Amino acid sequence: MEMEGKANGPSEGRTGRVDGPTNPMVTPLLNDLYQFTMAYAYWKAGKHNERSVFDLYFRKNPFGGEYTIFAGLEECIRFIANFKLTEDEISFVRDSLAGSCEDGFFDYLRGIDCSDVEVYAISEGSVVFPKVPLLRVEGPIAVVQLLETPFVNLINYASLVATNAARHRFVAGKSKMLLEFGLRRAQGPDGGIGASKYCYMGGFDSTSNVAAGKLFGIPLRGTHSHAFVSSFMSPDEIIEKSLKSVDGSSTCEDFVSLVQTWLSKIQWSKSLRGIFGETNQSELAAFTSYALAFPNNFLALVDTYDVIRSGIPNFCAVALALNDLGYKAVGIRLDSGDLAYLSCEARKFFHTIEKEFGVPGFEKMSITASNDLNEETLDALNKQGHEVNAFGIGTYLVTCYAQAALGCVFKLVEINNQPRIKLSEDVSKVSIPCKKRCYRLYGKEGYPLVDIMTGENEPSPKVGERILCRHPFNESKRAYVVPKQVEELLKCYWPGTSGKQREELPPLKDIRERCIKQLERMRSDHMRRLNPTPYKVSVSAKLYDFIHFLWLNEAPVGELQ
Amino acid sequence: MEMEGKANGPSEGRTGRVDGPTNPMVTPLLNDLYQFTMAYAYWKAGKHNERSVFDLYFRKNPFGGEYTIFAGLEECIRFIANFKLTEDEISFVRDSLAGSCEDGFFDYLRGIDCSDVEVYAISEGSVVFPKVPLLRVEGPIAVVQLLETPFVNLINYASLVATNAARHRFVAGKSKMLLEFGLRRAQGPDGGIGASKYCYMGGFDSTSNVAAGKLFGIPLRGTHSHAFVSSFMSPDEIIEKSLKSVDGSSTCEDFVSLVQTWLSKIQWSKSLRGIFGETNQSELAAFTSYALAFPNNFLALVDTYDVIRSGIPNFCAVALALNDLGYKAVGIRLDSGDLAYLSCEARKFFHTIEKEFGVPGFEKMSITASNDLNEETLDALNKQGHEVNAFGIGTYLVTCYAQAALGCVFKLVEINNQPRIKLSEDVSKVSIPCKKRCYRLYGKEGYPLVDIMTGENEPSPKVGERILCRHPFNESKRAYVVPKQVEELLKCYWPGTSGKQREELPPLKDIRERCIKQLERMRSDHMRRLNPTPYKVSVSAKLYDFIHFLWLNEAPVGELQ
């Protein structure tokens, strides 16, 4: 049953006011304690207002792939737009800091908000790559550090699950319906709500989660469970048996008998004889009852007892009875067993019904499959051949079972106009210093070729002009590029006091469109499931030199013994 | 820095009123759409008030183990205690059901609450096993089905992450401090808050999550990050340099110089000469500054530049300067590199300092380790030998990376006093019918021996009396047991209209105590990480016979062709 919810409207009204985060638990206290201990230490040292620049980025694409979908930006902007500590929160922080802090600090905390913070970000729903900042956050260091934990929390899972959804869509193909069914297995209540939002963003068609439908306007889907089927004993218990025809012109007084008549016809049909004997009566009662409630939207779960010997014949009997009254049944759902085999058997059965009883279109009945589906099982189903039209995907999708976390980090890259670097024995963990600009360069075939980071004041790459793109840490990896199109990636989503124009927060549907379009624009070798080609991320020659100058400067010189 | 938060108090006041769920997003709409379509179909068929019994249980212990911690009960009770659809929610459901439903149904929805629902449950924090109901929910079928998705959502992740925490505690051993640091990598904001709550329940000592500290009274921990270190350039920028001694009797006017003096002494000490040259000055400035802010709680992150050549000497210089003023530094945190090796080197360094400069206790300085720790890495550290006192664990803990979902299900077991069964070709998915009682039987050594389920009206197992325990599906697996203690597992947490006494919802600390005690009481072979012995779950002889009678009755008979 498809039911399109009404969105609660975009998050910003005409006044430019931005609503708070979707989850009211997202407050300044949704934070690691050390952000507050550091804030105090900065304040005590008189450093709290020093202008700092932090980059939020990840180091590795998830799921063994070579791309990621950036999601969670709107929630971050909603958070900073309403960032303010309440008296109650300040008093809790005071207690938590063990009474050792000076009072003036709490006056300071009372006064802070994000009016002096600037956030530049890649647009939500974009295809993104490791090391390139998703957000560049600039402001007084004590305030910006208080944003670290909430921002990383809001972006990590959002981007991970949107990417997971996009990967499932890639394997399933464009023509299939993808239904997100994950709420019950999600990691907590708003794990569920977030999953529904970001799976839709990543290319799913609908969710089962009513709250997400209400909050975000995502189409809702759902029919019935096994419990519904087994709650019936037999058709005898159905009391209200009448059903009007679809055009209201006539009434079938005993729809239960009509169904039973059709079931006998199917049982005695030449082509189907011997496939099944007695079907399960509680199932037949449940299907009949569901059809009486939703004659326009009859979709039945057919595996409570036995798909071939009970579920499908029972479904067909009800569907044919509905057909007599002008209704078109929607289809079946398979939730266990060999989905490839059962879907093909179901299709054959529908084909036989269509031919035997002359019901045009019966063969095209929709088949939905669920039951622990994931990228691998979708791929395996494709290889075996199947007749499934729609996939309901839950656990593996929403918990990101194949890789349950994305490692976004938030690193200081500049303070008081001084570039900063974070070293590590693991080169992949060395941060890229400086307040930067980021560009995506497109080639002549329209594909993105490379992302490049430059210092803030370097001239931007220009269409038709050759530019050297260097790997940030590997001196031998470099290439000249002559871009056919240059896209600046970081846009101003929160201008602080800079007076710049703020990018609007688009509705979820538009973000979803962007995501789907960007994915389609990628070169196919970056997208394949096995051994995808890494997309290139680079720095300008000038930034390369600067990184390595700073690195040598900060690393202690050893003494050989 | 340890900071103990104040809990917001227990969830029920003296009036017996139960507060709503911790997350205000947990509403009746946090539900799969099909619960509403089924509710309508039940209502349309006049079945909505039929008395039904559902069991909530899981089929397999997570993480390759043989036990699970049950968590999430309090949130479920808070949910049903406040279950009521608002007009706004009803109107959304109406729109979502595509306008095809009769008005009377929405009047019905308007009237429902959980006053006629009974919930029996195992106490939260208990060690639990597959197939045994964690909750038995009885009430009008349409209402009880509306509880399925929220209950399963609230219990699945809670139990999974509490179990994960208990497993980490088991490997780390009792003597180590375990700090939960997962908020930024959690699956959404209340994934983070839930993780903090349930990791504490499962045996962790503290969290970094301030909001969780406030909500649940969990001790808070946290000091500073790499960004704090790299935000400083050199000790020259420290302006306020004075520090009072711990007893307030004197003031050191230039603490920065005192630190630098100590650093030279360390550099020129006979035993340490040659280990390091110049330490990083921005790090020295950051440590000094942090000590000035928190002289009583100085714990430094020592791996921003180089642990051995910079972080540890810098830390020791500051700790020795603090020592001159009567303060005792807390210790260091290692967040990268070879934690076993580095912790041993750090301990040696502290030992040398203690001996060289005559500072008693310096060797015992606390060493905290973090950086992508999990069960395996803790186990490996134990095998290598290490000097770590406290582990900060994030990503792998809170996202349950090793297994991101627990498969709790909610199955109809009885309706109108008629037992119901859900069949499946996969025997492990066949449900155990009937409204049941569940017992844990203890042996003479005090260990739990077996859990047994019986029909509701069977006599309960008695201490000293022999009882036959049968595997529910394998006829050859059975054993006689003479219990030394019999514990009834399911207790009344929501009495409905039965007039029974309701079990109180204990404070989180008590639940944590229960969990730790129950884990200690288990036989060790069930608990080991490799090839643990499965704990036995059984049914009574009478229930066994009934399951198999019902199974034969419901399964369709095939026809050989």
Side-chain angles (χ1 to χ4, degrees):
Chain A
M1 183 171 303
E2 179 157 7
M3 292 140 173
E4 184 127 359
K6 275 188 251 165
N8 268 7
S11 69
E12 42 184 342
R14 277 180 219 153
T15 61
R17 212 195 139 275
V18 179
D19 289 341
T22 300
N23 186 343
M25 296 173 87
V26 180
T27 69
L29 289 205
L30 190 76
N31 231 321
D32 288 307
L33 180 66
Y34 78 2
Q35 312 293 6
F36 288 100
T37 55
M38 286 192 279
Y40 179 67
Y42 287 134
W43 180 85
K44 188 84 168 75
K47 260 178 90 77
H48 52 292
N49 279 328
E50 289 185 2
R51 197 83 187 161
S52 62
V53 182
F54 283 78
D55 282 350
L56 190 154
Y57 61 98
F58 59 92
R59 297 179 179 128
K60 201 173 176 318
N61 290 300
F63 310 118
E66 290 296 347
Y67 65 96
T68 299
I69 304 299
F70 171 45
L73 175 62
E74 180 183 339
E75 295 293 334
C76 291
I77 300 302
R78 284 171 172 234
F79 177 66
I80 55 170
N82 296 276
F83 184 98
K84 194 83 196 159
L85 283 137
T86 65
E87 281 307 314
D88 183 44
E89 288 167 342
I90 289 168
S91 136
F92 183 75
V93 172
R94 183 195 290 266
D95 293 347
S96 298
L97 295 181
S100 64
C101 300
E102 294 171 29
D103 284 349
F105 174 62
F106 301 102
D107 292 336
Y108 163 70
L109 280 187
R110 203 166 277 126
I112 57 173
D113 61 24
C114 290
S115 57
D116 196 23
V117 172
E118 286 174 50
V119 178
Y120 280 71
I122 299 183
S123 301
E124 189 161 5
S126 296
V127 177
V128 292
F129 304 99
K131 301 192 196 82
V132 181
L134 306 172
L135 265 74
R136 188 186 76 203
V137 186
E138 179 173 349
I141 188 162
V143 175
V144 175
Q145 287 234 236
L146 287 170
L147 305 177
E148 171 176 13
T149 309
F151 275 16
V152 175
N153 177 281
L154 290 167
I155 288 170
N156 256 331
Y157 174 63
S159 300
L160 184 71
V161 75
T163 307
N164 205 18
R167 295 181 62 86
H168 280 77
R169 166 58 74 195
F170 183 80
V171 183
K174 271 192 195 179
S175 67
K176 301 297 171 194
M177 288 288 291
L178 290 184
L179 327 172
E180 177 268 309
F181 281 178
L183 177 56
R184 65 187 61 195
R185 300 285 166 83
Q187 296 198 350
D190 78 352
I193 287 175
S196 302
K197 176 176 178 180
Y198 298 114
C199 288
Y200 182 65
M201 190 183 285
F204 269 57
D205 295 298
S206 69
T207 179
S208 66
N209 179 348
V210 182
K214 184 165 190 293
L215 283 164
F216 310 117
I218 305 172
L220 288 167
R221 284 286 190 110
T223 54
H224 69 82
S225 69
H226 295 117
F228 183 81
V229 174
S230 50
S231 77
F232 287 81
M233 304 296 285
S234 90
D236 300 343
E237 67 185 286
I238 300 175
I239 297 154
E240 177 55 52
K241 303 176 181 184
S242 74
L243 182 62
K244 272 199 181 138
S245 63
V246 71
D247 56 8
S249 66
S250 64
T251 298
C252 165
E253 292 303 334
D254 190 348
F255 184 71
V256 177
S257 295
L258 184 59
V259 167
Q260 277 162 328
T261 307
W262 270 113
L263 186 61
S264 331
K265 284 191 197 167
I266 301 171
Q267 272 162 334
W268 292 104
S269 100
K270 255 186 283 178
S271 340
L272 298 167
R273 197 174 301 158
I275 293 186
F276 65 99
E278 288 297 312
T279 62
N280 185 289
Q281 292 300 292
S282 79
E283 182 177 67
L284 186 66
F287 289 0
T288 306
S289 216
Y290 196 80
L292 284 165
F294 295 103
N296 280 306
N297 277 299
F298 178 59
L299 193 155
L301 175 62
V302 293
D303 69 338
T304 306
Y305 299 104
D306 187 302
V307 173
I308 306 289
R309 295 190 294 198
S310 185
I312 290 175
N314 278 338
F315 164 79
C316 289
V318 176
L320 288 165
L322 282 173
N323 181 64
D324 283 350
L325 302 176
Y327 296 102
K328 209 169 145 7
V330 174
I332 60 167
R333 178 160 73 97
L334 300 166
D335 190 40
S336 60
D338 180 334
L339 299 173
Y341 169 78
L342 291 172
S343 68
C344 293
E345 288 301 302
R347 186 69 71 211
K348 273 194 239 164
F349 206 105
F350 298 153
H351 173 78
T352 307
I353 297 276
E354 171 161 346
K355 286 184 68 177
E356 180 99 3
F357 301 110
V359 188
F362 204 96
E363 185 184 354
K364 299 257 183 283
M365 200 65 74
S366 170
I367 300 176
T368 300
S370 48
N371 189 31
D372 287 349
L373 295 173
N374 58 27
E375 269 192 78
E376 278 65 41
T377 49
L378 291 180
D379 193 46
L381 282 169
N382 287 344
K383 282 171 182 154
Q384 288 167 70
H386 65 82
E387 286 289 339
V388 176
N389 307 99
F391 292 103
I393 311 185
T395 311
Y396 291 92
L397 176 69
V398 304
T399 65
C400 299
Y401 208 92
Q403 180 183 325
L406 180 67
C408 278
V409 295
F410 191 77
K411 295 292 171 193
L412 179 69
V413 294
E414 194 170 297
I415 185 162
N416 293 330
N417 298 312
Q418 299 293 318
R420 303 304 289 152
I421 192 168
K422 194 240 155 216
L423 302 183
S424 173
E425 283 171 42
D426 180 355
V427 172
S428 73
K429 285 191 162 188
V430 174
S431 66
I432 297 179
C434 302
K435 180 172 177 184
K436 296 179 284 292
R437 290 175 183 267
C438 306
Y439 305 89
R440 183 157 298 170
L441 309 184
Y442 292 81
K444 56 179 184 292
E445 273 140 38
Y447 301 125
L449 286 181
V450 62
D451 284 5
I452 184 167
M453 295 175 258
T454 74
E456 197 209 359
N457 297 316
E458 289 185 59
S460 68
K462 291 195 178 44
V463 171
E465 280 185 20
R466 201 171 78 147
I467 181 168
L468 182 62
C469 298
R470 297 201 65 161
H471 186 288
F473 302 115
N474 185 330
E475 64 176 338
S476 67
K477 287 192 179 173
R478 55 213 166 135
Y480 284 108
V481 174
V482 181
K484 286 287 168 285
Q485 184 196 335
V486 174
E487 181 190 7
E488 177 148 19
L489 292 173
L490 294 172
K491 292 171 187 159
C492 179
Y493 278 89
W494 192 253
T497 52
S498 70
K500 284 192 197 96
Q501 180 78 26
R502 175 158 71 82
E503 291 287 321
E504 271 185 43
L505 297 172
L508 179 57
K509 277 202 166 175
D510 294 3
I511 300 176
R512 180 173 184 269
E513 290 290 309
R514 160 194 300 283
C515 176
I516 293 170
K517 276 194 195 138
Q518 287 220 348
L519 287 164
E520 280 171 357
R521 205 174 170 183
M522 293 298 296
R523 218 173 58 205
S524 63
D525 58 321
H526 301 308
M527 309 302 289
R528 65 184 172 224
R529 285 191 62 234
L530 283 179
N531 301 320
T533 311
Y535 179 83
K536 286 185 181 58
V537 169
S538 67
V539 295
S540 66
K542 200 168 163 189
L543 184 55
Y544 178 91
D545 291 340
F546 192 74
I547 294 169
H548 293 266
F549 162 76
L550 207 63
W551 193 338
L552 284 177
N553 213 38
E554 293 286 357
V557 184
E559 312 224 346
L560 286 178
Q561 292 169 71
Chain B
M1 183 167 305
E2 180 156 7
M3 293 139 173
E4 185 127 359
K6 275 188 253 166
N8 266 6
S11 68
E12 41 187 342
R14 277 179 219 154
T15 60
R17 211 195 140 273
V18 178
D19 289 340
T22 300
N23 185 343
M25 295 173 89
V26 180
T27 69
L29 289 206
L30 190 76
N31 232 322
D32 288 308
L33 180 67
Y34 78 2
Q35 311 293 8
F36 287 99
T37 56
M38 286 192 280
Y40 180 67
Y42 287 133
W43 180 85
K44 187 85 169 75
K47 258 178 93 74
H48 51 293
N49 280 327
E50 289 185 3
R51 196 84 186 158
S52 62
V53 182
F54 282 77
D55 283 350
L56 189 153
Y57 61 97
F58 59 92
R59 295 179 180 127
K60 201 172 176 320
N61 290 301
F63 310 118
E66 289 297 347
Y67 65 96
T68 299
I69 304 299
F70 171 45
L73 175 61
E74 179 183 339
E75 295 293 333
C76 291
I77 301 302
R78 285 172 172 235
F79 176 67
I80 57 171
N82 296 277
F83 184 98
K84 196 83 196 156
L85 284 137
T86 65
E87 282 305 315
D88 182 45
E89 289 167 340
I90 290 169
S91 136
F92 183 76
V93 171
R94 182 194 291 266
D95 292 348
S96 298
L97 295 180
S100 65
C101 300
E102 295 172 27
D103 285 347
F105 173 63
F106 302 101
D107 292 335
Y108 162 71
L109 281 187
R110 202 164 279 126
I112 58 174
D113 59 25
C114 289
S115 57
D116 196 22
V117 172
E118 285 174 50
V119 177
Y120 281 70
I122 299 183
S123 301
E124 189 161 5
S126 296
V127 177
V128 291
F129 303 99
K131 300 192 197 81
V132 180
L134 306 173
L135 266 74
R136 187 185 77 203
V137 187
E138 179 174 350
I141 189 162
V143 175
V144 176
Q145 287 233 237
L146 287 172
L147 305 178
E148 171 176 13
T149 310
F151 275 16
V152 175
N153 177 282
L154 290 168
I155 287 170
N156 256 332
Y157 174 63
S159 300
L160 184 72
V161 76
T163 307
N164 205 19
R167 295 180 63 84
H168 281 77
R169 165 58 73 194
F170 183 80
V171 183
K174 270 193 196 180
S175 66
K176 301 298 172 195
M177 289 288 292
L178 290 184
L179 326 172
E180 176 269 308
F181 281 177
L183 176 58
R184 65 187 60 196
R185 300 285 166 84
Q187 295 199 350
D190 80 350
I193 287 175
S196 302
K197 176 177 179 180
Y198 298 115
C199 288
Y200 181 66
M201 189 182 287
F204 269 57
D205 295 298
S206 69
T207 180
S208 66
N209 178 347
V210 182
K214 184 166 193 291
L215 284 164
F216 310 119
I218 305 172
L220 288 169
R221 284 287 191 111
T223 53
H224 69 82
S225 69
H226 295 117
F228 183 80
V229 175
S230 51
S231 78
F232 286 80
M233 304 296 285
S234 92
D236 300 342
E237 67 184 287
I238 301 177
I239 298 154
E240 177 54 54
K241 301 176 182 183
S242 74
L243 182 62
K244 272 200 181 137
S245 64
V246 71
D247 57 8
S249 66
S250 63
T251 298
C252 165
E253 292 303 334
D254 190 349
F255 185 71
V256 176
S257 295
L258 184 59
V259 168
Q260 275 162 329
T261 307
W262 272 112
L263 186 61
S264 328
K265 285 191 198 167
I266 301 171
Q267 272 162 335
W268 292 103
S269 100
K270 257 186 281 178
S271 341
L272 297 168
R273 198 174 302 159
I275 291 186
F276 64 99
E278 288 296 311
T279 63
N280 185 289
Q281 292 300 294
S282 80
E283 182 178 65
L284 186 66
F287 289 179
T288 306
S289 216
Y290 196 80
L292 284 165
F294 295 104
N296 281 305
N297 277 298
F298 178 58
L299 194 155
L301 175 63
V302 293
D303 70 337
T304 306
Y305 300 104
D306 187 302
V307 173
I308 306 289
R309 295 190 292 197
S310 183
I312 291 176
N314 278 337
F315 165 79
C316 290
V318 177
L320 288 164
L322 283 173
N323 182 65
D324 284 349
L325 302 176
Y327 296 101
K328 209 171 146 2
V330 175
I332 60 167
R333 178 159 72 96
L334 300 166
D335 189 40
S336 59
D338 181 335
L339 300 174
Y341 169 78
L342 292 172
S343 67
C344 294
E345 288 301 303
R347 186 70 70 212
K348 272 194 243 165
F349 206 105
F350 298 154
H351 173 78
T352 307
I353 297 275
E354 172 163 344
K355 287 184 68 176
E356 180 100 3
F357 302 108
V359 187
F362 203 97
E363 185 183 355
K364 298 258 183 284
M365 202 63 75
S366 171
I367 301 176
T368 300
S370 49
N371 189 29
D372 287 351
L373 296 173
N374 59 27
E375 270 191 77
E376 278 65 41
T377 49
L378 292 180
D379 194 45
L381 282 170
N382 288 342
K383 283 172 184 155
Q384 288 168 71
H386 65 81
E387 286 289 338
V388 176
N389 306 99
F391 292 104
I393 312 185
T395 312
Y396 289 93
L397 176 69
V398 305
T399 66
C400 299
Y401 208 93
Q403 180 183 326
L406 180 68
C408 277
V409 295
F410 191 78
K411 294 291 171 192
L412 179 69
V413 294
E414 193 170 298
I415 185 163
N416 293 330
N417 298 312
Q418 299 293 318
R420 304 303 288 154
I421 193 168
K422 195 244 155 213
L423 303 182
S424 173
E425 282 169 43
D426 179 355
V427 172
S428 74
K429 286 191 161 187
V430 174
S431 66
I432 297 179
C434 300
K435 182 173 176 180
K436 296 179 285 291
R437 288 176 185 269
C438 306
Y439 305 90
R440 183 157 297 171
L441 309 184
Y442 292 81
K444 55 180 184 295
E445 276 141 36
Y447 300 125
L449 287 180
V450 61
D451 284 5
I452 184 168
M453 295 174 258
T454 74
E456 196 209 358
N457 298 316
E458 289 186 58
S460 69
K462 293 198 177 42
V463 170
E465 278 185 22
R466 200 170 80 147
I467 181 169
L468 183 62
C469 298
R470 299 200 64 163
H471 187 289
F473 303 115
N474 184 331
E475 63 177 339
S476 67
K477 287 192 179 174
R478 55 215 168 136
Y480 283 108
V481 174
V482 182
K484 287 286 169 286
Q485 184 196 335
V486 174
E487 180 190 8
E488 179 149 17
L489 293 173
L490 293 173
K491 291 171 187 159
C492 180
Y493 278 89
W494 192 253
T497 53
S498 70
K500 283 189 199 100
Q501 180 77 26
R502 175 158 69 83
E503 292 287 322
E504 271 185 43
L505 297 173
L508 178 58
K509 276 202 166 174
D510 295 4
I511 300 176
R512 181 172 183 271
E513 289 292 306
R514 162 194 298 284
C515 175
I516 292 170
K517 276 193 195 138
Q518 287 221 350
L519 286 164
E520 280 170 359
R521 206 175 169 180
M522 293 298 297
R523 219 174 56 205
S524 64
D525 59 320
H526 299 309
M527 310 302 289
R528 65 183 172 224
R529 286 190 65 232
L530 282 179
N531 300 318
T533 311
Y535 179 84
K536 286 186 181 55
V537 168
S538 68
V539 296
S540 67
K542 202 167 162 190
L543 184 54
Y544 178 90
D545 291 341
F546 191 75
I547 294 168
H548 294 266
F549 162 76
L550 207 64
W551 193 339
L552 285 176
N553 214 36
E554 292 287 356
V557 183
E559 313 223 344
L560 287 178
Q561 292 171 72

